[in-house]
Amino acid sequence: EAGRGPAGGSAPAGSAARPSGHSCTNPEISWALPNTSHVSHEDLTSQVGEVLLYYCYCEVKDPEKLCAWQKALCQHLHLTGKVRVASEGINGTVGGSKVATSLYIKAMLSQPLFRNILCQEDFKSSAGGSHCFPDLRVGVFKEIVPMGIDPKIVSYKETGIHLSPQEFHREVKQYLSQASQGQSDTILLDCRNFYESKIGRFQGCLAPDIRKFSYFPSYVDENLELFKDKRVLMYCTGGIRCERGSAYLRSKAVCREVYQLKGGIHKYLEEFPDGFYRGKLFVFDDRYAICSNEDIISVCRYCGVLWDQYKLCSSQHCRQLVLTCPGCCNKGLTACCPVCQEKELKVTSRISGQTLKEECECTRRRPRVPIENVSPRMLDTGK
């Protein structure tokens, strides 16, 4: 069925073949940095700019060398953010002035390692700048997206079939129409974390209640029956989690076929800002979310009023995000749970010092891997 299309016919244009990955026989990493002599310091460091999100799967012979070049490039252009390098490729989200991000894209596209693999369309942009990140972090890792499975065991080369935003939109429309009549054999799967899908998601999706993407493989294992003989439409923020996530799901050989949204929600919203995705898009920087439509689908953790703007839990020991509206904030309700609220009061009465980050009540009470108790009827109606 690999060559079959989403609706069971021939595969749609541009997605008939499953990507097989990229192999570079002997790529040279160029140390060249872009010329900035024609650019003023103000233009290069302007606070008004953008945030770029991208990834590229390819064989990297010397991850350390690529890491060093990336660090030098970002520093040269005054970019902040996070870049993960591995033998399987690169994954980055960086912020800076529009002049700086433009030069960054040009440098990436001219890098011999990525030439003929990366293209302009692979960079997703949103309003922001260097101020969206506290610093620059570039490092070498085993995976460019932390799924916790050895890339040699589950490779990006075995990914699902990519659908363009237009193709994905048509598929979701058909799925919702069939589901409303109780006839769907499709699962629309959000492979992000619960706090991401809480503030924005596709209508009728199945959004796993998981805290980390590294729990996704266990989630699939524990819920295999759910996916048996189903067509799965997967999506995530920019597409990278679907690359490995779809490969893992396919490795279980239970689905009829697995498809994924090329470019993720980012690219879909560029084409369909008022489409089937409602609410905010969570991003992993100091903005927490970006907006494409006016819908608010989440509520304040304390009073239940519609609210979708995250804040960090006010308790110094905690790393959770909390949805608390201005009214509740004014009442001092700024922690993610009662335990953290209590600890916050104790901490503020003590002498300030280094506090150890630990899991709070919210995390301890949450099942690490939820087992879905979803009836076929519930799936069909998209609930």
Side-chain angles (χ1 to χ4, degrees):
E1 290 288 312
R4 304 293 287 174
S10 59
S15 59
R18 177 174 286 106
S20 59
H22 299 284
S23 178
C24 305
T25 52
N26 187 24
E28 280 296 323
I29 297 173
S30 168
W31 282 93
L33 297 177
N35 178 16
T36 56
S37 61
H38 62 292
V39 181
S40 71
H41 182 74
E42 289 73 19
D43 284 343
L44 205 57
T45 59
S46 170
Q47 287 293 300
V48 180
E50 60 185 0
V51 170
L52 296 178
L53 176 69
Y54 73 93
Y55 68 89
C56 179
Y57 277 105
C58 62
E59 292 182 18
V60 180
K61 303 272 185 201
D62 193 341
E64 293 289 349
K65 189 174 180 183
L66 177 58
C67 180
W69 175 74
Q70 266 297 306
K71 190 171 183 179
L73 176 62
C74 290
Q75 289 174 340
H76 181 64
L77 297 174
H78 300 273
L79 298 174
T80 58
K82 302 172 186 176
V83 181
R84 293 175 68 98
V85 176
S87 58
E88 64 172 356
I90 187 170
N91 173 20
T93 174
V94 295
S97 71
K98 288 197 174 182
V99 170
T101 54
S102 177
L103 288 169
Y104 181 81
I105 292 173
K106 285 179 182 176
M108 291 293 289
L109 296 180
S110 62
Q111 172 61 252
L113 185 60
F114 306 126
R115 201 175 289 153
N116 303 322
I117 303 176
L118 262 180
C119 65
Q120 185 84 29
E121 280 185 359
D122 293 321
F123 293 87
K124 303 102 186 171
S125 65
S126 55
S130 60
H131 59 278
C132 294
F133 303 91
D135 51 25
L136 172 67
R137 298 179 187 180
V138 185
V140 175
F141 299 84
K142 192 166 187 177
E143 305 169 276
I144 60 173
V145 62
M147 190 170 78
I149 302 290
D150 192 323
K152 293 176 183 174
I153 296 174
V154 176
S155 170
Y156 65 88
K157 297 177 182 179
E158 301 301 322
T159 187
I161 292 177
H162 292 67
L163 299 179
S164 70
Q166 294 87 353
E167 292 165 343
F168 195 82
H169 184 78
R170 288 197 295 269
E171 283 298 311
V172 174
K173 184 177 183 179
Q174 183 176 335
Y175 157 69
L176 291 174
S177 173
Q178 292 176 342
S180 67
Q181 300 169 37
Q183 300 173 343
S184 180
D185 62 351
T186 299
I187 293 176
L188 179 57
L189 181 63
D190 189 324
C191 64
R192 300 173 301 159
N193 304 321
F194 78 89
Y195 53 85
E196 298 174 77
S197 57
K198 183 185 283 187
I199 63 169
R201 57 186 177 268
F202 275 93
Q203 296 172 45
C205 76
L206 173 63
D209 193 20
I210 56 175
R211 191 168 63 89
K212 296 179 180 178
F213 183 58
S214 56
Y215 296 171
F216 183 78
S218 298
Y219 173 82
V220 169
D221 293 346
E222 295 294 333
N223 294 282
L224 272 183
E225 194 62 31
L226 185 69
F227 299 105
K228 191 174 181 182
D229 298 324
K230 295 287 185 180
R231 296 171 63 254
V232 179
L233 299 172
M234 292 180 70
Y235 69 89
C236 61
T237 305
I240 188 170
R241 280 178 279 187
C242 285
E243 299 283 8
R244 295 286 307 288
S246 65
Y248 188 82
L249 188 54
R250 288 190 68 243
S251 74
K252 297 299 170 178
V254 295
C255 302
R256 272 177 48 204
E257 190 53 276
V258 180
Y259 301 92
Q260 65 189 73
L261 173 57
K262 185 178 180 182
I265 303 164
H266 251 289
K267 286 294 183 184
Y268 178 85
L269 291 178
E270 287 179 13
E271 301 279 342
F272 303 99
D274 293 307
F276 297 116
Y277 185 91
R278 309 312 301 169
K280 299 276 199 309
L281 172 58
F282 184 92
V283 290
F284 291 90
D285 57 57
D286 290 350
R287 298 170 299 173
Y288 293 130
I290 53 180
C291 179
S292 70
N293 55 68
E294 298 303 313
D295 286 7
I296 299 177
I297 68 167
S298 52
V299 298
C300 171
R301 184 246 186 276
Y302 289 98
C303 70
V305 70
L306 287 173
W307 190 251
D308 61 6
Q309 295 179 35
Y310 276 120
K311 290 183 183 295
L312 275 175
C313 174
S314 56
S315 181
Q316 291 179 35
H317 78 286
C318 185
R319 57 175 84 238
Q320 303 295 312
L321 291 168
V322 59
L323 291 169
T324 175
C325 71
C328 290
C329 280
N330 291 336
K331 294 175 186 175
L333 301 172
T334 54
C336 67
C337 66
V339 170
C340 278
Q341 196 72 47
E342 220 173 286
K343 285 189 177 183
E344 170 66 4
L345 294 173
K346 290 177 183 176
V347 167
T348 51
S349 64
R350 275 193 253 133
I351 299 170
S352 62
Q354 186 69 32
T355 41
L356 183 68
K357 296 286 184 185
E358 59 185 54
E359 288 192 347
C360 73
E361 185 185 66
C362 296
T363 303
R364 286 200 304 270
R365 287 184 307 174
R366 178 178 299 281
R368 183 178 182 276
V369 180
I371 297 175
E372 301 291 358
N373 184 20
V374 183
S375 68
R377 174 64 187 161
M378 283 186 73
L379 273 179
D380 288 342
T381 53
K383 292 182 181 176

